Amino acid sequence: MSAVDYQVDGKTYEGWLVKPEGKTNAPVVVIAHAWGGLTDNEKQKAAIVAKEFGYAAFAIDVYGKGKRGETVEQCQALMNPLVGDRAELQKRLAGGLAAAKAQDGVDGSKAAAIGFCFGGLCVLDMARANQDVLGVASFHGLFRPAENIPQPKIKAKVLIEHGWLDPMATPEDFLAISKEFAGADWQAHVHGHSYHSFTTVGANNAEMGTMYNADADRRSFAYLKTFLAELFG
Amino acid sequence: MSAVDYQVDGKTYEGWLVKPEGKTNAPVVVIAHAWGGLTDNEKQKAAIVAKEFGYAAFAIDVYGKGKRGETVEQCQALMNPLVGDRAELQKRLAGGLAAAKAQDGVDGSKAAAIGFCFGGLCVLDMARANQDVLGVASFHGLFRPAENIPQPKIKAKVLIEHGWLDPMATPEDFLAISKEFAGADWQAHVHGHSYHSFTTVGANNAEMGTMYNADADRRSFAYLKTFLAELFG
């Protein structure tokens, strides 16, 4: 595993690559980060993808090298401009995807993307923008539509792993995305008892509604394995 | 595999037992039938449970030996009285569960239940009534609450495999059951493109909204395997 610098539009971004042992030409899973930027959480998910599922994992960075948030204010300051400018976000996502596919020992023809919280919105945008991925899986992602793609015609397979009690993606938001994605091959795996951040080990902020949930974490990743196997078949 | 007669309240019912080869003391999965009664469809699911998952499968019968429906009118005439009298339905379900647990070579301490269409309502009622199952999985089931258990306190784990386009269980119904089951450990796996009967091989009635869907069939059973493995440890 190693940090990997890459360029998009002349700016430097820092990703994180983990390859499965003893495999060459492995399919690659892009990992899109939560609002704090690429941190240990995304690295933990990359390790699962490589070690337990046997695919290459490339955690991308849509903020820029060295730009990471810790406080709520810092994270919002990094995330909000991109949530509000989806064309710019999608450009950075495309750059990250291209970097993932360009890594040595990776089969760039077989790519998927998974993302967490803000990263869920990111991978749903990769699907909305028809970036070259076989499928995307959002974990406790934000559903807010992309203002630059009002009627997406989605080709990628879509999996939405969703906590039903997530205050940032309500049942009303769920109904809305079910309509937006009606033309896509979409599935949702809904976890009744779960809040936002259910896969984020250590999340424990009842006031914000961000809570790790071991059951939903385990169950969502079990189904992710099935989903990726279908994509990469 | 064999037909098995059993008694509930002095009346004879005819179930269907399939045991996994080379295993003794296997956990048992009760299978609740769709509105036509125990037919080839349930026998096909029993074969999957035994041969692919390695558990004993016991398809129960809540209509009575020889009582099976073929036409829409016949099926409705068999089903509707039980949908309207849930105490009676639950009694027959409990009898079927007891028969399943009593079969030779079965570990009666490890039981789960799965059901299809009307059978989905049946297994959700087994959960509502706190019958002795570790978990239940409903496939394109009906969500109508049980009039005799207005506020269920559910102990079993619940999985709802659901077609989002199912005209017999609408998004509004989905929201309603998410509230009814809020206290339970429930999950739902929603299939965006699927109608009612998505696991019923050969279903193809666009007017009624009953359509087999190979993707949703395969995906829902893949997750059922994970769910049962969690229940039976």
Side-chain angles (χ1 to χ4, degrees), chain A residues 6-7 15 27 50 56 67 70 75 83 86 89 119 132 134 153-154 164 171 174 184-185 204 208 211 221 225 227 232:
Chain A
Y6 63 94
Q7 310 284 316
K67 293 192 180 171
E70 291 189 359
C75 293
V83 172
R86 305 293 275 275
L89 174 60
D132 190 21
L134 297 169
K153 301 209 179 346
I154 294 170
W164 196 245
F174 185 83
D185 178 0
N204 185 24
M208 286 195 65
M211 300 285 283
F221 264 68
K225 187 175 181 181
F227 180 71
F232 296 143

Side-chain angles (χ1 to χ4, degrees), chain A residues 198-216:
Chain A
F198 59 78
T199 70
T200 309
V201 179
N204 185 24
N205 187 330
E207 204 171 321
M208 286 195 65
T210 54
M211 300 285 283
Y212 178 68
N213 182 308
D215 284 336

Side-chain angles (χ1 to χ4, degrees), chain B:
Chain B
M1 60 197 84
S2 59
V4 176
D5 284 0
Y6 63 95
Q7 310 284 317
V8 184
D9 250 4
K11 198 174 147 190
T12 301
Y13 296 83
E14 184 180 64
W16 180 256
L17 176 68
V18 188
K19 290 198 268 192
E21 270 185 52
K23 283 197 186 180
T24 53
N25 219 29
V28 62
V29 177
V30 165
I31 299 178
H33 57 71
W35 69 345
L38 200 179
T39 64
D40 285 350
N41 186 59
E42 288 73 25
K43 292 178 182 177
Q44 181 229 355
K45 306 313 182 199
I48 293 172
V49 167
K51 290 177 189 165
E52 297 182 23
F53 299 170
Y55 307 121
F58 187 79
I60 61 173
D61 162 25
V62 300
Y63 289 162
K65 182 165 181 168
K67 294 194 181 170
R68 305 290 184 260
E70 291 190 0
T71 67
V72 168
E73 290 71 25
Q74 289 169 347
C75 294
Q76 286 178 334
L78 286 165
M79 176 180 75
N80 288 349
L82 291 169
V83 172
D85 182 355
R86 305 291 273 276
E88 175 64 25
L89 175 60
Q90 290 154 16
K91 192 171 67 181
R92 297 186 191 184
L93 292 166
L97 174 60
K101 292 185 175 204
Q103 299 305 309
D104 273 349
V106 155
D107 178 356
S109 73
K110 290 188 174 176
I114 68 175
F116 303 86
C117 310
F118 165 58
L121 177 142
C122 289
V123 301
L124 294 174
D125 259 23
M126 293 174 77
R128 290 178 175 111
N130 278 320
Q131 296 185 8
D132 190 20
V133 286
L134 297 168
V136 305
S138 160
F139 292 77
H140 37 87
L142 308 175
F143 297 157
R144 179 169 155 174
E147 82 286 344
N148 66 328
I149 309 174
Q151 292 181 308
K153 301 210 178 345
I154 294 171
K155 291 176 196 155
K157 295 180 183 183
V158 175
L159 172 63
I160 294 173
E161 291 282 348
H162 178 58
W164 196 244
L165 305 176
D166 188 333
M168 302 174 207
T170 65
E172 192 175 62
D173 297 329
F174 185 82
L175 293 181
I177 201 169
S178 79
K179 287 174 189 159
E180 185 195 356
F181 279 45
D185 178 0
W186 70 276
Q187 303 169 68
H189 183 189
V190 172
H191 305 269
H193 271 182
S194 295
Y195 292 85
H196 198 70
S197 302
F198 60 77
T199 69
T200 309
V201 178
N204 186 24
N205 187 329
E207 204 172 321
M208 287 195 63
T210 54
M211 300 284 283
Y212 179 69
N213 182 307
D215 284 336
D217 183 17
R218 183 186 68 250
R219 292 166 179 171
S220 62
F221 264 68
Y223 193 65
L224 173 62
K225 186 175 180 182
T226 300
F227 180 71
L228 294 174
E230 178 182 326
L231 297 183
F232 296 143

